[in-house]
Amino acid sequence: MTQQNKTVWWALALPLLAVLIWSLNITVTRYVVDYISPVSISFYRWLVAFLVLTPFMLAKVWRERQLVLQHWKQLAVLAAFGMVLYQGLGYTAAHYTTATNMGIINAFIPIFTIFVSMLMLKDIPNRFAVVGSLLSFVGLLYVMTQGNLVNLVQSSGHLGDVMMVLAVFFYAFYGVFLKKWQLQIPLMISLYVQIIFALLYHLPFVLWIGLDAVDQQNAGSVLYAGVFPSLVAPLVWMLAVQMIGPNRTSIFMNLMPVFTAIIANMWLGEAWTKYHTIGGIVILLGILLAQKKVYK
């Protein structure tokens, strides 16, 4: 019994580590805006991940090439939504909003997933999901307008928050596509092929806008983004899903706003204000309510 408990507690540390890595990446994204363009860090991120994985995955992908060719369209769509639209918009949004706000908006992934599932899978949400979603949306507006909803129509300074909301919306599609298709393909092969597509999608932007050089000011951020949030966190997260289940694992995503705010405060000096507290609590309550099941 003692050994079993130890295994459970060890497993619970896995999603905690993944969320911590992703939260730190949000702060890294905000930190590096003065040193590298969104297109550059997004391209370099997936290039680093590709270079790290290639020695281990190239032969495996070649052996499974018939399986990859069978699902290449789905993998291309997944890469577009999860690696290019979500990440690219996130890197751009960082130029216009704070890491704290980005972390809070990321917590909306479960809420948006509910409604995208309704649209694509005809999965009708229950009353708790609807009320919880509306409650969370009010909390989000409260944070975006710094506690004064009148600012929503009087100010144009919410571009970064709007872009981040759009990014999270695209990521919700990514999750629903995974659920809808349930591809029978090894996870690492799927990840590697999606990374290849992500690099291909970046090429037109790279040719049009160009790439910033990697230097001593941005190299650390590029390497971190390419290794930890791109490879380590997804692997740890998938392992957690296998060990403790998807529902228990997904709850840990609610810690992302808290972790991001703490890191951003310590590293970037971003303030955690009363409107972050009030709005964050409202958002969290809405998310928890939206997860509630209706039992007959």
Side-chain angles (χ1 to χ4, degrees):
M1 185 69 178
T2 303
Q3 182 62 37
Q4 185 178 8
N5 287 338
K6 286 183 179 179
T7 303
V8 170
W9 283 111
W10 175 77
L12 292 176
L14 294 173
L16 198 64
L17 176 60
V19 171
L20 182 61
I21 290 173
W22 283 322
S23 299
L24 180 56
N25 188 57
I26 292 175
T27 311
V28 168
T29 299
R30 183 69 185 90
Y31 165 77
V32 82
V33 294
D34 293 328
Y35 306 116
I36 191 170
S37 70
V39 169
S40 297
I41 189 171
S42 186
F43 176 78
Y44 286 136
R45 169 182 181 167
W46 299 118
L47 179 61
V48 169
F50 171 76
L51 294 175
V52 170
L53 282 181
T54 294
F56 307 100
M57 297 304 305
L58 187 59
K60 294 180 180 179
V61 171
W62 178 252
R63 286 197 298 269
E64 299 291 344
R65 60 188 180 277
Q66 293 300 325
L67 185 61
V68 171
L69 289 173
Q70 181 181 345
H71 297 293
W72 75 268
K73 293 181 180 179
Q74 292 98 325
L75 294 171
V77 171
L78 290 172
F81 279 83
M83 295 181 175
V84 179
L85 292 171
Y86 170 64
Q87 301 293 349
L89 281 169
Y91 283 123
T92 307
H95 286 255
Y96 305 101
T97 190
T98 64
T100 301
N101 279 21
M102 291 172 69
I104 290 174
I105 295 170
N106 257 285
F108 261 72
I109 290 175
I111 294 293
F112 284 171
T113 300
I114 289 173
F115 286 95
V116 175
S117 295
M118 179 180 67
L119 177 67
M120 296 186 59
L121 306 179
K122 309 303 180 184
D123 188 4
I124 306 301
N126 61 49
R127 61 182 180 273
F128 294 112
V130 174
V131 174
S133 299
L134 292 174
L135 186 63
S136 287
F137 185 69
V138 171
L140 176 62
L141 290 180
Y142 189 84
V143 172
M144 289 174 61
T145 58
Q146 300 183 7
N148 185 359
L149 295 179
V150 178
N151 290 338
L152 193 63
V153 294
Q154 292 182 343
S155 173
S156 59
H158 310 298
L159 177 61
D161 292 333
V162 172
M163 293 179 72
M164 199 64 211
V165 169
L166 188 59
V168 167
F169 184 65
F170 282 130
Y171 195 78
F173 271 95
Y174 178 82
V176 173
F177 281 136
L178 284 174
K179 181 178 180 181
K180 179 180 180 179
W181 291 329
Q182 296 184 354
L183 303 180
Q184 300 302 309
I185 184 170
L187 290 174
M188 288 306 301
I189 291 179
S190 174
L191 177 62
Y192 183 71
V193 175
Q194 287 180 56
I195 289 172
I196 293 174
F197 276 115
L199 288 172
L200 293 175
Y201 288 140
H202 277 81
L203 290 181
F205 298 98
V206 169
L207 293 174
W208 180 33
I209 300 174
L211 284 175
D212 293 340
V214 176
D215 55 34
Q216 61 181 7
Q217 291 182 307
N218 59 38
S221 299
V222 168
L223 288 174
Y224 178 84
V227 175
F228 289 93
S230 302
L231 300 176
V232 176
L235 290 176
V236 170
W237 187 263
M238 288 186 290
L239 183 58
V241 169
Q242 292 177 352
M243 296 187 68
I244 64 177
N247 292 333
R248 293 175 71 190
T249 301
S250 64
I251 293 174
F252 284 83
M253 288 296 289
N254 294 333
L255 291 172
M256 186 175 290
V258 179
F259 285 172
T260 303
I262 294 172
I263 297 169
N265 176 264
M266 295 176 61
W267 185 5
L268 305 179
E270 291 185 4
W272 180 272
T273 65
K274 65 179 182 180
Y275 66 81
H276 283 114
T277 300
I278 296 172
I281 291 174
V282 172
I283 290 170
L284 182 58
L285 288 175
I287 290 171
L288 293 176
L289 184 62
Q291 306 303 314
K292 188 174 176 62
K293 303 291 185 182
V294 174
Y295 298 98
K296 296 180 181 181

